[in-house]
Amino acid sequence: MRQRLRRKAARISSVLVSTEDPPPPHESGPGEWTLVFADDETVQALNRDYRELDETTDVLSFALEDDDLAPQLPDAERLLGDVIVSVEQAQRQTPDTLEQELLRLLAHGYCHLLGYDHVDPAAMTAMLEAESGLLELFGERSGLLERASLAESP
């Protein structure tokens, strides 16, 4: 499973996802990103230290380009940031296989690195489309945001 996820992450990072005109501010092409599979304790500590939420979560994204101190490198060497996934949380929340849930979390985290967010309905729609576009590459039908939207519907 680890090798399959590594290949899928590489494929995700080679794709430029844009449903917006103009695209999000950080979206000028693929770049390098770090993917970490962690336990709940690690994710909770990061969530507490960086988001002031003392609880675990499924995925955290730390986009370097959000930071004014991000290195200015040529596009071929762009450093997008880090995605940290709680494998334990993914296992608890998946309605499918662990591998499918981890793929959803990779796509979700990658979209955040590109500048997408889900802070309001318009932004959420754009991110949902980007996330779905990535997952379609692997034959997946729904991402985290789509599943959350369906759960909230009456």
Side-chain angles (χ1 to χ4, degrees):
M1 176 172 68
R2 187 177 301 194
Q3 287 294 353
R4 285 191 306 271
L5 285 169
R6 189 175 288 140
R7 284 191 300 272
K8 288 176 181 181
R11 188 165 177 200
I12 285 172
S13 63
S14 71
V15 174
L16 176 64
V17 179
S18 184
T19 58
E20 297 180 58
D21 186 25
H26 309 320
E27 195 171 316
S28 62
E32 226 176 278
W33 54 302
T34 303
L35 173 61
V36 177
F37 293 109
D39 59 16
D40 280 343
E41 183 179 344
T42 301
V43 173
Q44 181 174 353
L46 289 167
N47 207 19
R48 181 189 60 239
D49 294 349
Y50 291 96
R51 298 180 63 223
E52 298 180 2
L53 296 171
D54 194 10
E55 60 193 24
T56 194
T57 189
D58 50 7
V59 60
L60 292 170
S61 297
F62 298 100
L64 285 176
E65 294 184 354
D66 280 347
D67 189 341
D68 292 335
L69 302 176
Q72 300 301 311
L73 301 172
D75 279 349
E77 300 176 24
R78 279 182 61 221
L79 301 176
L80 297 174
D82 304 319
V83 173
I84 296 92
V85 174
S86 169
V87 176
E88 294 169 336
Q89 180 63 32
Q91 181 68 58
R92 283 191 298 273
Q93 73 188 28
T94 186
D96 302 303
T97 68
L98 177 59
E99 185 172 350
Q100 288 172 301
E101 189 70 5
L102 291 172
L103 178 59
R104 285 184 198 101
L105 295 168
L106 297 180
H108 187 86
Y110 184 71
C111 286
H112 278 300
L113 294 183
L114 293 180
Y116 288 97
D117 211 338
H118 40 88
V119 294
D120 59 55
M124 184 168 169
T125 298
M127 185 165 175
L128 190 144
E129 290 175 14
E131 191 177 88
S132 295
L134 285 174
L135 291 169
E136 284 176 13
L137 295 171
F138 307 102
E140 290 297 323
R141 294 181 307 275
S142 65
L144 293 180
L145 292 177
E146 185 174 344
R147 191 170 68 207
S149 296
L150 292 173
E152 292 174 3
S153 299

